[in-house]
Amino acid sequence: MSPPKHHPVPINILQEVFGYSAFRGQQAEIVDHVTQGGDALVLMPTGGGKSLCYQVPAIVRQRAGHGVTVVVSPLIALMHDQVGALEEAGVHAAFLNSSQSQEEAQHIEREMLAGRLSLLYAAPERLNTPRFLAQLTSLHERGLLSLFAIDEAHCVSQWGHDFRSEYLSLNLLHERFPDVPRIALTATADDITRADIIERLQLQDSRVFIASFDRPNIRYLIVEKDKPKEQLLRFIQEDHDGDAGVVYCQSRKKVEETAEWLRAEGVSALAYHAGMDSDIRRRHQDRFLREDGIVMVATVAFGMGIDKPDVRFVAHLDLPKNIEGYYQETGRAGRDGEAAQAWMAYGLADVVNQRRMIDESPSTEEFKQVQRGKLDALLALAEATDCRRQRLLAYFGEESEPCGNCDNCLHAPATWDATESARMALSCIYRFRQNGGQRFGAGHLIDVLRGKETEKVRQYGHQHLSTWAIGASLGEQQWRAVLRQLIALGHVVTEGEFHTISLTESARAVLKGEVQLLLRQPTTPARKGKTSRTGTSGKRATLVDPELAPDAQFRFNSLKAWRAEVAREHGLPAYVIFQNVTLAEMARQHPRSLEELSGISGVGAKKLEAYGEDLLRVLGAH
Ligand code: ADP
Ligand code: ZN
């Protein structure tokens, strides 16, 4: 190993390369630990600043003569932008993936083997190839294999929501190169997933850093499905006109339909799912990253590794599988720390679907049991009448106070005692069984309870049941809420193609009146107009524009136009050149010299050199 020439200090790298004045939260501690060769498992929410936790050590160690950091990241589609951002900051980085020509790949391999690269990004499947392993071995023998960074580490666990079998072979790295330090990072992992990551990656001896999972700038809103597409449209029009956002749907078909519908309603919406032509998919992703104000309607295939900082909302039209999934997906909003919203519409059909998907999956009973438990936790969140954030954080093992920035905190929901109604529903299901052994779905059950004489009612003679019309005083929506809760709590189950309902063992206690059921009062969809509760404050409380004085606003617009041109020339998203917050700071402070410019957060040495003069010109300093 060549002797280290000099030992740069992490804080200097942060300031010089990234243009930031200080580390945030646990970053400093993590960076020190990893720079000195320690192993680490880092759990930090999206937007918490995970990238710097391995990028700064990578740069410090490379400058100290330790060679290349290999970053394992599952999404090759995004490596280009990640590497572009580093190169913009003057860090020599590259990626190897299947999209490259042989020539390109060979050039990068040479840079890597010479130890000149600070960071090399690679997909997990590449690590298994004999060619790549031989190259790593060669680096290692010469003391030039500095560090392994394993991004999205939850992919190694089958309990996580994004299991990838290629990740399983990552423990190979540790077996082959036991003395090379490793840092594994994830934004989402509950207890069981954490334990699994540690075991599978053999990180038993590593230090575990767990940051608070709170994302205080994200407001959580969960509404009951009524006409979901219209609810979504109203949410976008009232709170997020012109904003970038992501809308998650479960099926590809629904993705396409929803995107088309939103477009017809005047929203700049694009579709994204795994079944689409890969060129179109890439084009849509590029437009989302590069243009302002695109709404991406997508399956969960979209989003991992998307580090666009100014996504202002994430909406769910279907229930996610569990809280980790929900938190990961909603976490893509507001990475820049500005106000953002996570909105979800959920209904009875969601509960039924998710339960059925678990039941019908080919997994072991143990696995299904875990999945059911996770779904239950999510349902409890959706039905909650208390603080959403408190529940979310509690799920990740954190205690907190009511947040003041979720729908329930802002507007305490009305509740009603549904104990009697639940008993009516259960005894009606019981009567069906007695009366011919037939099972029925929720729709018919509600018709009978409400005394609605349909053809089916007459066909089965259900107007003669003792439970006929006993629940006429409740509306259909309320009945749906009761059933949803009964399914969520496991007192009834739905089965088969027609989702017929039957009682479980635990229904007995409810029937006997031993269990009290307190439900949210259905929210009336008449919440019209710019509601006082979200209104503009929920929209972009601290975002740049409204605060800027007119001349500063003018400078901000000029800077954005300049940035758009540079981004286009470099084939990179605009935020890779400078983030909005940085441009806004320039517009506000109005620096007149390179010296003043360098004091602005986000302006590192390389960017100052490359763009300083141009910026001063745009700012009218010359
Ligand atoms: P994560 O990967 O955890 O989601 P990122 O690494 O993308 O988060 O960081 C989120 C945002 O915070 C980025 O815009 C990044 O530039 C910014 N950031 C991270 N650390 C700092 C810091 N110490 N000072 C200023 N900005 C930071
Ligand atoms: Zn709250």
Side-chain angles (χ1 to χ4, degrees):
M1 199 203 295
S2 57
K5 286 181 279 294
H6 59 113
H7 275 277
V9 184
I11 184 71
N12 293 344
I13 296 295
L14 181 77
Q15 291 166 348
E16 174 205 318
V17 176
F18 297 94
Y20 297 140
S21 55
F23 284 113
R24 276 186 189 158
Q26 292 179 297
Q27 276 177 339
E29 224 182 320
I30 298 166
V31 166
D32 274 342
H33 179 71
V34 175
T35 302
Q36 285 159 27
D39 289 344
L41 172 61
V42 173
L43 290 110
M44 207 185 255
T46 311
K50 280 186 292 303
S51 327
L52 291 181
C53 293
Y54 62 85
Q55 287 171 350
V56 172
I59 299 165
V60 173
R61 288 176 62 85
Q62 202 271 342
R63 292 197 186 177
H66 293 294
V68 185
T69 289
V70 175
V71 184
V72 182
S73 160
L75 272 185
I76 56 176
L78 294 154
M79 289 179 185
H80 174 262
D81 290 351
Q82 287 169 338
V83 163
L86 285 164
E87 289 278 345
E88 282 290 324
V91 179
H92 195 20
F95 60 86
L96 281 173
N97 72 31
S98 46
S99 72
Q100 288 159 319
S101 71
Q102 206 180 343
E103 265 186 335
E104 272 178 290
Q106 280 173 356
H107 171 70
I108 290 163
E109 285 170 359
R110 273 197 304 275
E111 289 296 287
M112 169 176 81
L113 287 170
R116 276 196 290 271
L117 285 178
S118 289
L119 295 106
L120 178 86
Y121 285 74
E125 48 271 26
R126 181 162 294 257
L127 297 170
N128 287 326
T129 64
R131 181 185 174 88
F132 193 65
L133 279 175
Q135 289 166 342
L136 292 186
T137 305
S138 157
L139 277 175
H140 184 241
E141 281 165 357
R142 292 176 290 133
L144 292 176
L145 188 54
S146 170
L147 171 70
F148 290 115
I150 300 167
D151 206 3
E152 313 283 2
H154 61 277
C155 290
V156 79
S157 169
Q158 58 161 333
W159 304 125
H161 56 285
D162 252 330
F163 174 63
R164 300 195 170 210
S165 54
E166 314 89 70
Y167 261 66
L168 286 178
S169 52
L170 289 182
N171 60 1
L172 194 88
L173 297 179
H174 186 49
E175 278 154 21
R176 288 253 187 149
F177 313 108
D179 56 334
V180 176
R182 293 170 303 157
I183 172 171
L185 311 99
T186 175
T188 172
D190 58 4
D191 280 341
I192 182 170
T193 312
R194 282 172 207 175
D196 206 26
I197 294 173
I198 289 173
E199 179 169 335
R200 288 184 190 270
L201 293 178
Q202 299 172 25
L203 285 166
Q204 288 86 351
D205 297 329
S206 75
R207 258 185 79 179
V208 180
F209 296 88
I210 302 175
S212 165
F213 270 62
D214 192 14
R215 302 286 310 279
N217 60 317
I218 298 182
R219 173 174 295 180
Y220 298 96
L221 312 159
I222 302 178
V223 305
E224 222 167 312
K225 263 185 198 175
D226 185 10
K227 294 193 182 81
K229 275 198 301 202
E230 266 120 75
Q231 287 171 293
L232 172 69
L233 181 66
R234 221 181 313 131
F235 167 72
I236 294 176
Q237 288 176 336
E238 287 173 8
D239 284 5
H240 291 288
D241 191 23
D243 285 345
V246 183
V247 177
Y248 283 111
C249 304
Q250 197 162 46
S251 71
R252 297 169 181 188
K253 184 158 160 270
K254 190 159 169 189
V255 163
E256 309 243 354
E257 283 171 6
T258 308
E260 201 166 312
W261 187 78
L262 284 175
R263 267 199 304 279
E265 296 290 332
V267 178
S268 317
L270 295 174
Y272 187 105
H273 60 69
M276 276 162 61
D277 177 78
S278 64
D279 278 344
I280 299 180
R281 213 167 59 207
R282 188 161 43 237
R283 206 161 59 234
H284 285 186
Q285 174 165 307
D286 276 355
R287 284 192 58 195
F288 177 74
L289 293 175
R290 284 162 173 71
E291 292 176 26
D292 276 341
I294 300 273
V295 173
M296 188 70 110
V297 186
T299 57
V300 289
F302 177 75
M304 201 208 287
I306 293 284
D307 49 8
K308 186 177 167 66
D310 57 353
V311 175
R312 294 269 69 82
F313 71 90
V314 169
H316 280 94
L317 274 184
D318 294 303
L319 195 69
K321 280 194 180 49
N322 50 46
I323 289 186
E324 291 122 285
Y326 172 76
Y327 208 61
Q328 171 102 332
E329 283 142 31
T330 56
R332 291 169 186 146
R335 270 172 188 263
D336 53 11
E338 305 291 333
Q341 301 201 86
W343 180 93
M344 175 163 86
Y346 117 108
L348 178 58
D350 287 303
V351 184
V352 173
N353 274 337
Q354 291 289 5
R355 282 240 184 276
R356 199 194 42 196
M357 273 164 54
I358 295 171
D359 291 342
E360 290 174 0
S361 76
S363 332
T364 63
E365 195 46 42
E366 183 208 0
F367 186 82
K368 289 183 185 178
Q369 222 31 60
V370 173
Q371 300 306 318
R372 285 190 196 108
K374 290 188 174 218
L375 176 60
D376 287 345
L378 180 62
L379 294 175
L381 172 77
E383 299 284 0
T385 53
D386 52 4
C387 176
R388 310 270 193 202
R389 190 182 316 269
Q390 249 183 329
R391 282 182 181 255
L392 282 168
L393 293 177
Y395 184 80
F396 294 107
E398 249 178 278
E399 262 180 55
S400 64
E401 293 298 306
C403 74
N405 191 27
C406 71
D407 51 0
N408 289 349
C409 279
L410 290 162
H411 258 22
T415 57
W416 62 291
D417 187 338
T419 313
E420 259 324 291
S421 308
R423 292 176 67 189
M424 288 177 189
L426 295 176
S427 58
C428 193
I429 298 166
Y430 183 71
R431 294 280 176 268
F432 287 161
R433 280 306 293 244
Q434 284 197 318
N435 189 56
Q438 200 83 16
R439 286 177 181 169
F440 298 89
H444 181 68
L445 173 63
I446 293 172
D447 286 344
V448 173
L449 287 164
R450 301 190 63 218
K452 191 166 158 196
E453 210 170 319
T454 63
E455 204 169 306
K456 198 166 185 176
V457 166
R458 282 192 294 275
Q459 183 190 344
Y460 289 97
H462 282 168
Q463 72 274 38
H464 306 303
L465 288 180
S466 61
T467 50
W468 170 251
I470 52 171
S473 64
L474 291 192
E476 172 158 347
Q477 254 218 314
Q478 275 170 305
W479 275 118
R480 290 193 157 263
V482 174
L483 285 178
R484 211 169 57 218
Q485 185 86 349
L486 288 173
I487 296 171
L489 293 171
H491 300 312
V492 302
V493 289
T494 60
E495 289 158 318
E497 190 187 347
F498 301 108
H499 309 321
T500 58
I501 297 180
S502 51
L503 304 180
T504 67
E505 201 41 48
S506 71
R508 197 185 300 262
V510 183
L511 269 168
K512 283 198 210 145
E514 291 167 6
V515 180
Q516 199 200 16
L517 226 58
L518 227 45
L519 298 193
R520 293 174 70 89
Q521 196 73 262
T523 38
T524 36
R527 204 194 107 211
K528 266 260 99 187
K530 282 230 174 216
T531 48
S532 52
R533 66 157 210 234
T534 49
T536 43
S537 70
K539 199 174 165 188
R540 40 165 74 101
T542 57
L543 238 207
V544 214
D545 323 23
E547 289 178 15
L548 288 178
D551 55 334
Q553 182 69 54
F554 178 79
R555 288 193 289 275
F556 183 58
N557 294 344
S558 313
L559 288 166
K560 272 173 86 170
W562 168 84
R563 179 183 65 177
E565 211 164 295
V566 177
R568 209 172 309 117
E569 264 171 36
H570 294 208
L572 289 168
Y575 64 82
V576 165
I577 309 299
F578 284 113
Q579 295 191 11
N580 279 352
V581 275
T582 303
L583 293 190
E585 209 42 44
M586 287 180 198
R588 209 176 283 131
Q589 289 189 19
H590 201 178
R592 312 286 177 147
S593 65
L594 290 175
E595 165 97 50
E596 282 175 26
L597 193 59
S598 73
I600 286 168
S601 177
V603 183
K606 169 78 189 299
K607 288 186 182 177
L608 185 72
E609 185 193 312
Y611 305 127
E613 292 295 339
D614 275 5
L615 286 168
L616 291 176
R617 190 176 39 73
V618 175
L619 287 163
H622 293 326

